[in-house]
Amino acid sequence: MTTPAPDTPVDTLAIAVAQLNPTVGDVAGNLDLARRTRESAREAGADLVVFTELFIAGYPPEDLVLKPAFQKACREAIETLAAETVDGPAVLIGAPWVEEERLYNSVLLLENGGISAVRHKVDLPNYGVFDEKRVFAPGPLPGPIPFKGVRLGVPVCEDIWGADVVECLAETGAEILLVPNGSPYRRTVYAERENIAVARVVESHLPLLYVNQVGGQDELVFDGASFALNADRTLALQFPGFMDRVRLSKWQRFENGWKCLGANLADRIEGDEADYAACVLGLRDYVNKNRFPGVVLGLSGGIDSALCAAMAVDALGPERVHCIMLPYRYTSADSLSDAAAVAQALGVRYDTVPIASGVEGIEAALAPLFEGTQRDVTEENLQSRVRGALLMSVSNKFGAMVVTTGNKSEMSTGYATLYGDMNGGYNPIKDLYKTQVVRLSRLRNRWKPADALGPDGVVMPDSLIDKPPTAELRENQKDEDSLPPYAVLDAILERLVEREEPVTSLIADGFDAATVKRVERLLHIAEYKRRQAAPGVKVTGRNFGRDRRYPITNRFREG
């Protein structure tokens, strides 16, 4: 087969789509992953391999990207990879790039042994979880990149969320839009991405290939779910979510433009299934990328810890999960049997460590200071703090990370104990309200992600899922003694936290005024606890942490 001259337009292109899981800061590892991917793409007959946004650095690199040594390492990695493209497929890859003392979020075309083109991200997002204006300079409106006689438009991620960049590319002759992304998961993101992509296709009359990274990075989970749309808006390519994949897409030039051939459409999970898969992937990557040998968690016999245990086993396998029951005098027989049933179903190591001697020893030590006072929440919290100290001790001794198991309803209202049940390195359900925890528990008993390492079938008994929630810190305690019913509480919280709706709007819609005002007060005064909480997977539109940054000292209240 005769290779056309560089300025001779080709009529077909084979583009390998690299939906992969880079690690922030692991420049050498990301380079090695790019090399191996390029080699497999060469064997498949690819002309071009498209990687995701800032692939060499990992995304998002946050302030790490401001380190000159890191910038230098990324540049050297790109130059090394470019030198290897003398033959075989070209590479389109993201990296931080310094030009004239300005740092850009860039995409580079590597071919023929060098760097043939560089384009900089124009629209730097600065909302929600994104903070790119802090570290990057915006690039100029780009023109297309010539490749084998084809003009490739390369808007980077946020560049397609407005019309200007794609409009400029179309007006300057782009024929195909290749979009490298670092787009994190949230429950509504699929519809939002598709609507944006369709809008750009309609406006430009160009086909669009959307390449998204996959994997967990601290609180963020990137779901992949890459896709291609033809100029007539038909879906030509769909990758699965939450899985590494490299696939070859075939493109052909027709009289009316380029088209992605075939309909290689993978099933894409959504809704509760996607939320569960995100929690599993986020936990897996946090543990593995930070090189923990496994995890340890307190298995209380309640639904939150049971769901976290199931997620941990699905993420890491049962041999890397250690569950410990930490009973006290208020731990019910039902909790003991339910916890044991979960541990047996999941196949994990399960130990029982009674905490009576620890709690009573601390109470004895404090007795002279507390003389003449009534027992209250102080003594109740000792149970949680002894449990937290024991779990952290196991972690220190054996290296396993403590999984903390509080849900978003508890984190919202402060229904959690600092230096107790909040102890831990990571929380897979931090962004799930209690009602979502219940739904996902029922879901896990009938379904699990395709790459889950846990057992099929029921892993949580119905008795555990159905019983009234309780912290079991005193006799006959129920969560609803202190909080509104979770169905009511979560509905209020969703509107206060996710939507920032005014209290008056909730009251006008029929919520009890005193309850709404009480929940709003609890939400505000618990900010100091949330600042000290472990990171956890983001699945909603507004998580505590990167999305929502409220002051701790804050006297504002509505009404």
Side-chain angles (χ1 to χ4, degrees):
M1 177 178 176
T2 302
T3 302
D7 58 348
T8 303
V10 297
D11 291 322
T12 62
L13 278 177
I15 301 177
V17 180
Q19 176 176 296
L20 296 173
N21 188 348
T23 298
V24 168
D26 187 8
V27 177
N30 296 338
L31 172 60
D32 182 62
L33 180 56
R35 279 173 164 155
R36 288 185 280 114
T37 301
R38 179 176 173 272
E39 185 57 36
S40 65
R42 180 214 307 277
E43 295 171 0
D47 298 303
L48 176 67
V49 189
V50 181
F51 292 90
T52 50
E53 181 177 11
L54 291 177
F55 184 89
I56 284 293
Y59 185 83
E62 301 185 73
D63 285 9
L64 173 63
V65 80
L66 298 176
K67 282 184 74 72
F70 184 68
Q71 297 167 7
K72 180 174 181 285
C74 291
R75 190 178 196 100
E76 289 175 350
I78 289 293
E79 291 170 346
T80 297
L81 185 61
E84 297 171 4
T85 62
V86 173
D87 59 356
V91 170
L92 188 68
I93 193 166
W97 204 249
V98 178
E99 286 184 357
E100 298 178 352
E101 299 184 351
R102 303 190 81 192
L103 176 63
Y104 296 99
N105 179 339
S106 303
V107 174
L108 304 99
L109 180 65
L110 317 180
E111 60 175 339
N112 301 321
I115 301 169
S116 65
V118 183
R119 295 293 183 270
H120 307 308
K121 188 173 183 178
V122 178
D123 194 352
L124 302 175
N126 209 52
Y127 57 87
V129 302
F130 303 107
D131 202 11
E132 290 194 29
K133 289 183 180 178
R134 174 185 175 84
V135 293
F136 292 116
L141 285 172
I145 296 173
F147 175 69
K148 291 184 175 292
V150 184
R151 295 183 298 277
L152 303 176
V154 188
V156 181
C157 200
E158 191 77 10
D159 285 345
I160 70 166
W161 287 71
D164 291 350
V165 175
V166 171
E167 180 182 8
C168 179
L169 288 166
E171 289 177 351
T172 51
E175 298 173 83
I176 303 172
L177 299 174
L178 304 180
V179 190
N181 288 269
S183 178
Y185 174 77
R186 61 184 180 277
R187 174 172 274 248
T188 59
V189 77
Y190 293 141
E192 294 169 19
R193 285 182 196 148
E194 288 168 358
N195 289 339
I196 291 297
V198 167
R200 301 293 86 82
V201 167
V202 169
E203 294 160 1
S204 66
H205 307 290
L206 297 176
L208 181 150
L209 175 60
Y210 185 103
V211 186
N212 193 29
Q213 79 175 43
V214 70
Q217 171 58 30
D218 296 342
E219 296 168 296
L220 301 182
V221 173
F222 299 87
D223 55 288
S226 304
F227 62 91
L229 294 174
N230 281 317
D232 62 1
R233 294 173 289 170
T234 56
L235 185 65
L237 183 68
Q238 177 64 67
F239 277 51
F242 308 101
M243 296 184 190
D244 294 14
R245 289 290 186 273
V246 179
R247 287 183 178 167
L248 195 66
S249 62
K250 299 293 184 69
W251 295 74
Q252 186 169 340
R253 188 198 301 270
F254 293 89
E255 288 185 3
N256 59 347
W258 284 86
K259 183 176 182 179
C260 183
L261 303 179
N264 192 346
L265 308 180
D267 291 333
R268 188 185 65 192
I269 60 174
E270 300 189 52
D272 286 342
E273 292 181 356
D275 285 354
Y276 188 92
C279 292
V280 169
L281 179 55
L283 178 60
R284 176 186 295 141
D285 274 359
Y286 192 86
V287 171
N288 289 340
K289 290 181 178 182
N290 288 292
R291 298 176 178 171
F292 290 104
V295 298
V296 59
L297 69 152
L299 198 58
S300 68
I303 193 170
D304 295 323
S305 63
L307 181 61
C308 287
M311 289 175 171
V313 171
D314 285 343
L316 305 170
E319 69 282 355
R320 297 177 67 192
V321 179
H322 182 187
C323 292
I324 303 178
M325 161 57 82
L326 299 148
Y328 190 53
R329 68 179 69 164
Y330 306 119
T331 303
S332 67
D334 286 345
S335 292
L336 290 167
S337 61
D338 285 341
V342 170
Q344 183 176 12
L346 291 172
V348 297
R349 176 179 174 181
Y350 179 63
D351 292 300
T352 299
V353 180
I355 66 169
S357 60
V359 173
E360 291 161 9
I362 294 175
E363 286 191 3
L366 291 169
L369 297 177
F370 289 0
E371 185 176 1
T373 66
Q374 298 295 315
R375 293 181 68 85
D376 56 18
V377 70
T378 305
E379 286 77 13
E380 291 182 10
N381 284 343
L382 286 179
Q383 299 167 54
S384 179
R385 290 185 172 128
V386 168
R387 290 182 172 115
L390 291 172
L391 290 171
M392 289 304 301
S393 296
V394 173
S395 173
N396 291 161
K397 182 64 71 175
F398 301 107
M401 184 196 76
V402 177
V403 170
T404 183
T405 62
N407 61 63
K408 192 172 186 176
S409 306
E410 295 170 347
M411 297 302 299
S412 297
T413 56
Y415 200 71
T417 304
L418 273 176
Y419 325 120
D421 57 303
M422 289 178 65
N423 279 6
Y426 199 75
N427 183 351
I429 65 168
K430 182 180 179 180
D431 203 29
L432 297 176
Y433 292 110
K434 186 74 166 192
T435 48
Q436 292 174 293
V437 168
V438 173
R439 288 205 317 269
L440 265 60
S441 297
R442 296 192 191 282
L443 168 69
R444 179 56 183 86
N445 277 346
R446 65 177 186 272
W447 173 90
K448 66 177 184 180
D451 61 346
L453 302 177
D456 294 330
V458 174
V459 295
M460 287 168 270
D462 289 340
S463 58
L464 180 150
I465 296 173
D466 294 337
K467 68 184 175 186
T470 171
E472 294 191 323
L473 299 179
R474 62 178 181 269
E475 291 287 354
N476 301 314
Q477 182 188 41
K478 300 291 184 290
D479 288 3
E480 290 185 11
D481 297 340
S482 307
L483 298 172
Y486 280 113
V488 175
L489 176 63
D490 290 354
I492 293 171
L493 289 172
E494 195 275 335
R495 293 176 66 167
L496 292 178
V497 176
E498 316 299 321
R499 306 186 210 170
E500 287 283 9
E501 290 191 32
V503 165
T504 52
S505 175
L506 276 74
I507 296 170
D509 285 346
F511 288 97
D512 175 71
T515 300
V516 173
K517 290 179 179 180
R518 177 168 170 257
V519 171
E520 187 223 14
R521 176 180 175 275
L522 292 173
L523 178 64
H524 283 303
I525 65 175
E527 188 63 39
Y528 79 101
K529 289 188 178 183
R530 290 191 290 270
R531 288 286 185 95
Q532 299 179 65
V537 177
K538 168 185 163 64
V539 296
T540 68
R542 202 150 189 245
N543 75 329
F544 291 125
R546 296 179 67 98
D547 273 324
R548 186 182 186 276
R549 293 173 250 185
Y550 265 62
I552 296 173
T553 305
N554 171 22
R555 290 191 178 182
F556 180 78
R557 303 290 184 271
E558 294 184 55

